[in-house]
């Protein structure tokens, strides 16, 4: 099983993920890290006044003030109606909070633009208006047609709509202004393709949150790193052997080899990490001081000792193995300078808005307890992510953990208050339920507190089932098991029976859904048997019925596997046949004779049906010919068309897959 926290702090994991997903990954992390998407055009693009068809009073109601500037519920609805909000629970809370966070960023961005005297250009606004008119009203539409459309669709005049466009372009305008003030030389632009290859040795600093047998206390880690470097320089120890034996770096198994890494271009800004964290890591991943030392070194030089400010806290030294700069064949100096200016301007603006957002004074309207709760929950989740990914002094991390626990307590006090105000709030109920289950499973929780937590489960499950259309199976099981533990067998049975009814109404149609249904029914059998009693006299009989349905699912899964195997074999044979035909057309044999059919590979052999299956099928020996797919059945006793192969014996071909539930 993968370790999510380990992955988050693994530099190799991040590099591999970025190579697979590209730049789009950064934007995909917006909800996790709260990146200021408002810098790009269109975050609040032309939202209008009809968000979710809410009335004017609700739309214009105050959500919060950011540095004294009002943000309305209409602003929130305009974004939330286009966002993937997720089902009630943690996903919904975090997404709602991230929307509010980005509204704070958007307001800060607008305030920043006002201070700088920057606004959207008329040319940008005119073009956006014309594009909108073309897309929404049509190529032959008049200005009057546009005016009518805006009034009907968004209750806006053209002048008001231009204001909406101008607001959407504030980020672009501020970015353009930042770019003008950014200085980049041609040498810096050329260096963007420069790479270095290093051999690194990193001695980790011991941390209670990240056990590592190779780690040492801070002072000892520094001394060991210095001692190892001295031995390597003196020729007493090979650096590759030192890395394999002592290093905690991502490349220790490779003897410390980093392969080629960008020397001057930050790989972490593009990954979507918070700007402050990416800036702290430098370009190569160990901090800016290490970067500077690498720039000054020549191949063969040793570099160190430095305290890493990358993903892994520790001390490191390195050897510069090689350096290269493979400039693109189409490298154009001015174009490269402009591109680097744009990139650095965006990074600088993101960092600035990120810092100003943290410092912003956000005051929620007293009536917006739900939105404030979700915002604070998002800030807590974001801080938790940042801490998991952060690298630095373990002592500071311990202090941060204490602060994080206090933040968590404060947030869940808000969640409790929200649930007390609205007992039908599904998201609050789920958040409380999940936190209680964690507390009950924690061996450090005193028995009295565990019992108190258990007593709260019943009304929470009832609220969630009543108000949510989410995972009914999981919550029904949870409610049934809670009732069973309270010896309320009749009520527990009713909920197990409801799970059975839900399963019967949801017919599985493919391999995965059949396997999922089987898992749920297996849990259901155990549950029914556990409540079988005079209070639930039919539970045992229903468990037997469920066991029969599981057997039926097993049969259907087996048939589906057989059919899947046959389909794959037929596809392989078709591809093989097509390849042979192509070869024969490209190189016809002497005399123009076309080669006859060949025996398909695998026929007459046992075919494994995959993990979890105890059965296999034997494919009959024979020849595949055109018009007769491999494994298909010929009339009993007749040879396959076009060849002398024996017919497939009647009854050997598996029957068609029966429909689920049949």
């Amino acid at each position: 099983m993968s370790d999510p926290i380990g992955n988050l702090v693994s530099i190799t994991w991040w590099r591999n993920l970025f190579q697979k997903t590209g730049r789009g990954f950064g934007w995909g992390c917006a909800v996790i890290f709260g990146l200021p998407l408002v810098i790009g055009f269109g975050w609040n693009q032309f939202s209008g006044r009809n968000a979710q068809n809410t009335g004017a009073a609700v739309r214009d109601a105050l959500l919060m003030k950011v540095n004294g500037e009002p943000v309305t519920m209409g602003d929130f609805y305009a974004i939330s109606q286009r966002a993937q909000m997720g089902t009630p629970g943690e996903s919904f809370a975090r997404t709602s909070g991230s929307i509010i966070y980005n509204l704070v960023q958007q307001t800060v961005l607008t305030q920043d633009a006002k201070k700088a005297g920057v606004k959207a250009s008329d040319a940008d606004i005119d073009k956006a208006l014309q594009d909108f008119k073309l897309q929404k009203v049509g190529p032959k539409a008049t200005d009057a047609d546009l005016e009518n459309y805006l009034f009907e669709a968004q209750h806006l005049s053209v002048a008001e709509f231009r204001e909406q466009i101008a607001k959407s372009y504030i980020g672009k305008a501020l970015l353009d202004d930042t770019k003008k003030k950014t200085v980049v030389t041609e040498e810096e632009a050329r260096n963007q393709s420069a790479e270095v290859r290093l051999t690194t040795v990193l001695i980790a600093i011991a941390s209670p949150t990240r056990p590592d047998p190779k780690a040492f206390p801070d002072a000892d880690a520094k001394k060991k790193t210095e001692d190892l470097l001295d031995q390597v320089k003196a020729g007493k120890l090979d650096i590759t052997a030192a890395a394999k034996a002592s290093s905690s770096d991502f490349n220790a198994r490779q003897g410390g080899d980093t392969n080629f890494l960008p020397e001057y271009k930050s790989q972490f800004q593009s990954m979507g990490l918070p700007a402050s964290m990416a800036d702290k890591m430098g370009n190569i991943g160990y901090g800016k001081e290490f970067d500077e030392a690498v720039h000054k070194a020549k191949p063969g030089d040793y570099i160190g000792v430095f305290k890493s400010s990358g993903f892994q806290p520790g001390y490191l030294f390195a050897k510069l193995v090689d350096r290269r700069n493979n400039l693109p064949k189409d490298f154009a100096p001015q174009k490269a300078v402009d591109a680097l200016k744009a990139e650095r301007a965006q990074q600088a603006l993101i960092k600035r808005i990120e810092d100003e957002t943290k410092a912003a004074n956000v005051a929620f309207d007293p009536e917006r307890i739900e939105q404030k709760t979700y915002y604070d929950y998002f800030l807590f989740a974001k801080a938790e992510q940042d801490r998991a990914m952060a690298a630095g002094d373990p002592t500071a991390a311990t202090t941060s953990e204490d602060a994080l626990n206090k933040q968590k307590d404060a947030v869940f006090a808000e969640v409790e208050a929200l649930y007390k105000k609205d007992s039908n709030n599904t998201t609050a109920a789920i958040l409380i339920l999940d936190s209680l289950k964690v507390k009950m499973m924690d061996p450090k929780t005193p028995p009295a507190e565990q019992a108190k937590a258990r007593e709260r489960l019943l009304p929470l499950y009832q609220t969630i089932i009543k108000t949510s259309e989410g995972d009914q199976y999981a919550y029904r099981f949870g409610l049934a098991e809670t009732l069973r533990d309270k010896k309320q067998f009749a009520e527990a049975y009713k909920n197990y029976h409801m799970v059975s009814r839900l399963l019967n109404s949801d017919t599985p149609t493919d391999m995965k859904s059949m396997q999922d249904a089987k898992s749920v029914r297996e849990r259901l059998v155990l549950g029914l048997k556990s409540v079988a009693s005079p209070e639930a006299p039919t539970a045992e009989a229903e468990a037997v019925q469920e066991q029969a349905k599981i057997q039926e699912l097993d049969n259907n899964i087996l048939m589906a596997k057989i059919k899947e195997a046959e389909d794959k074999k037929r596809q392989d044979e078709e591809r093989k046949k097509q390849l042979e035909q192509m070869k024969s057309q490209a190189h016809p044999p002497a005399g123009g004779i076309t080669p006859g059919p060949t025996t398909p590979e695998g026929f007459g052999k046992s075919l494994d049906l995959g993990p979890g299956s105890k059965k296999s099928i034997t494919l009959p020996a024979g020849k595949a010919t055109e018009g007769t797919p491999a494994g298909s059945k010929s009339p009993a006793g007749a040879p396959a068309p076009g060849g002398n192969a024996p017919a497939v014996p009647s009854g050997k071909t598996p029957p068609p897959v029966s429909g689920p539930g049949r």
Side-chain angles (χ1 to χ4, degrees):
M1 181 179 294
S2 64
D3 174 13
I5 299 300
N7 282 343
L8 283 171
V9 296
S10 164
I11 192 171
T12 245
W13 182 84
W14 278 101
R15 284 175 178 144
N16 291 341
L17 182 63
F18 182 56
Q19 288 173 358
K20 291 177 183 177
T21 58
R23 292 181 178 272
F25 169 73
W27 302 113
C29 283
V31 171
I32 300 177
F33 300 121
L35 295 177
L37 302 185
V38 293
I39 289 176
F41 161 68
W43 174 246
N44 191 37
Q45 187 178 358
F46 320 149
S47 58
R49 292 178 176 168
N50 65 335
Q52 291 190 339
N53 297 317
T54 52
V58 176
R59 218 172 37 237
D60 297 336
L62 182 66
L63 168 62
M64 61 184 173
K65 288 186 177 180
V66 179
N67 296 328
E69 187 169 333
V71 178
T72 68
M73 287 300 297
D75 296 323
F76 175 81
Y77 290 138
I79 299 172
S80 63
Q81 71 178 359
R82 298 192 299 275
Q84 297 293 327
M85 298 300 292
T87 57
E90 182 181 16
S91 174
F92 184 86
R94 287 181 65 158
T95 305
S96 298
S98 74
I99 290 172
I100 298 170
Y101 184 81
N102 277 281
L103 283 171
V104 174
Q105 290 180 315
Q106 185 180 60
T107 307
V108 166
L109 187 82
T110 304
Q111 293 169 346
D112 203 76
K114 287 179 180 177
K115 292 176 188 175
V118 173
K119 62 180 182 179
S121 70
D122 290 336
D124 281 340
I125 297 173
D126 290 341
K127 185 179 185 305
L129 184 62
Q130 288 304 313
D131 289 344
F132 181 88
K133 178 181 174 182
L134 180 65
Q135 180 184 0
K136 297 292 186 180
V137 194
K140 298 182 180 180
T142 64
D143 290 344
D145 293 332
L146 175 63
E147 188 171 358
N148 290 334
Y149 175 85
L150 288 172
F151 181 78
E152 292 294 330
Q154 301 198 20
H155 307 303
L156 291 172
S157 68
V158 174
E160 290 170 329
F161 188 61
R162 285 183 65 89
E163 291 179 11
Q164 289 276 348
I165 297 174
K167 186 178 180 181
S168 293
Y169 268 90
I170 284 294
K172 179 181 181 299
L174 197 54
L175 184 60
D176 289 343
D177 182 69
T178 306
K179 183 179 176 181
K180 290 178 184 177
K181 299 172 183 177
T182 303
V183 178
V184 170
T185 65
E186 183 178 326
E187 182 184 5
E188 290 175 303
R190 288 180 178 275
N191 281 338
Q192 293 305 292
S193 55
E195 296 178 316
V196 288
R197 186 168 192 164
L198 304 166
T199 301
T200 62
V201 177
L202 186 146
I203 306 302
I205 299 172
S207 168
T209 60
R210 296 175 60 191
D212 183 348
K214 295 181 179 180
F216 293 85
D218 191 299
D220 294 340
K222 182 180 181 182
K223 185 176 187 307
K224 182 171 178 62
T225 310
E226 292 170 341
D227 290 344
L228 286 173
L229 177 58
D230 289 341
Q231 292 180 56
V232 169
K233 283 184 173 180
K236 298 178 181 179
L237 179 64
D238 179 68
I239 189 171
T240 300
K244 288 182 177 180
S246 305
S247 182
S248 293
D249 207 0
F250 71 96
N251 52 16
R253 291 182 181 179
Q254 289 76 45
D257 183 18
T258 64
N259 212 325
F260 280 98
L261 300 174
E263 182 175 359
Y264 291 91
K265 182 179 177 63
S266 172
Q267 53 189 319
F268 305 106
Q269 293 280 6
S270 303
M271 286 181 179
L273 300 185
S276 56
M277 185 179 298
D279 185 63
K280 177 183 177 184
M281 295 179 68
N283 299 327
I284 300 173
Y286 303 99
K288 290 185 174 180
E289 289 186 2
F290 184 80
D291 286 351
E292 291 300 322
V294 170
H295 299 334
K296 297 174 184 176
K298 301 186 297 294
D301 288 353
Y302 288 100
I303 306 161
V305 169
F306 288 90
K307 188 170 186 177
S308 171
S309 58
F311 282 119
Q312 173 73 290
Y315 291 88
L316 84 151
F317 67 90
K319 180 179 181 180
L320 179 55
V321 178
D322 197 7
R323 175 182 280 119
R324 69 185 184 188
N325 190 346
N326 298 325
L327 282 173
K329 293 180 180 179
D330 60 348
F331 179 80
Q334 190 56 52
K335 185 178 179 181
V337 167
D338 290 341
L340 184 55
K341 284 179 68 173
E343 181 180 330
R344 288 187 177 175
Q346 181 172 338
Q347 292 169 359
L349 184 55
I350 286 176
K351 176 72 163 57
R352 190 164 85 225
I353 299 304
E354 188 179 275
D355 292 342
E356 291 176 1
T357 299
K358 288 180 181 177
N361 178 16
V362 180
F364 281 84
D365 184 271
E367 294 297 315
R368 304 302 163 197
I369 179 174
E370 181 177 10
Q371 286 74 30
K372 182 180 185 302
T373 299
Y374 296 155
Y375 177 68
D376 289 339
Y377 185 85
F378 170 78
L379 292 180
F380 159 69
K382 182 175 182 296
E384 198 172 41
Q385 289 272 14
D386 289 349
R387 180 179 177 277
M389 296 177 62
D393 187 352
T395 305
T398 302
T399 304
S400 175
E401 184 178 9
D402 292 340
L404 197 63
N405 287 333
K406 290 179 182 178
Q407 186 178 359
K408 179 181 179 180
D409 291 341
V411 167
F412 274 92
E414 290 185 70
V415 175
E416 292 279 8
L418 175 59
Y419 184 65
K420 186 176 181 180
K421 180 183 177 182
D422 179 10
S423 61
N424 289 323
N425 189 298
T426 313
T427 290
I430 291 174
L431 291 176
I432 295 170
L433 178 70
D434 290 344
S435 69
L436 289 174
K437 289 194 291 187
V438 170
K439 182 179 290 188
M440 289 168 56
M441 293 173 63
D442 188 350
K444 296 179 182 178
T445 304
E449 287 189 30
Q450 289 191 354
K452 187 177 178 180
R454 191 174 293 107
E455 284 299 313
R456 294 196 61 194
L457 298 183
L458 190 58
L460 289 167
Y461 275 123
Q462 290 169 334
T463 293
I464 295 165
I465 289 172
K466 179 178 66 175
T467 60
S468 171
E469 295 181 359
D471 189 350
Q472 288 289 309
Y473 294 143
Y475 294 120
R476 283 282 178 187
F477 275 127
L479 177 57
E481 288 159 4
T482 302
L483 289 164
R484 179 197 63 196
D485 293 343
K486 296 172 74 67
K487 308 299 182 184
Q488 298 180 24
F489 297 125
E491 291 299 314
Y493 169 70
K494 288 180 182 178
N495 282 279
Y496 283 129
H497 181 67
M498 181 58 71
V499 171
S500 178
R501 291 182 63 185
L502 289 169
L503 281 166
N504 293 338
S505 66
D506 187 15
T507 304
T509 57
D510 56 24
M511 180 83 74
K512 184 180 185 307
S513 60
M514 284 190 285
Q515 290 171 333
D516 290 344
K518 179 185 174 183
S519 296
V520 176
R521 289 194 187 275
E522 286 174 338
R523 183 176 177 182
L524 182 57
V525 168
L526 295 175
L528 287 166
K529 288 181 177 180
S530 71
V531 298
S533 63
E535 292 85 353
T538 59
E540 186 70 40
E542 191 164 336
V544 173
Q545 293 173 3
E546 288 298 327
Q547 194 66 57
K549 291 174 183 177
I550 291 172
Q551 183 59 52
E552 187 175 0
L553 279 170
D554 277 336
N555 293 337
N556 289 338
I557 290 170
L558 176 62
M559 292 298 101
K561 286 182 177 180
I562 292 173
K563 185 176 184 302
E564 188 178 86
E566 286 184 329
D567 290 344
K568 184 179 184 301
K569 181 62 69 176
R570 277 195 291 268
Q571 291 169 5
D572 290 345
E573 288 300 321
E574 285 299 321
R575 283 194 291 268
K576 184 176 181 181
K577 185 189 299 182
Q578 291 171 5
L579 182 60
E580 289 173 348
Q581 289 175 348
M582 291 172 63
K583 288 180 178 179
S584 65
Q585 291 170 2
H587 305 286
I593 300 174
T594 303
T598 57
T599 301
E601 182 181 351
F603 270 60
K605 297 181 180 179
S606 178
L607 178 63
D608 183 19
L609 297 178
S613 175
K614 297 181 180 179
K615 300 184 178 182
S616 63
I617 60 173
T618 300
L619 298 176
K623 297 183 180 180
T625 60
E626 187 172 351
T628 305
S632 64
K633 183 168 65 176
S634 300
N644 298 319
V648 177
S650 177
K652 282 293 183 179
T653 300
V657 178
S658 59
R662 179 177 169 182

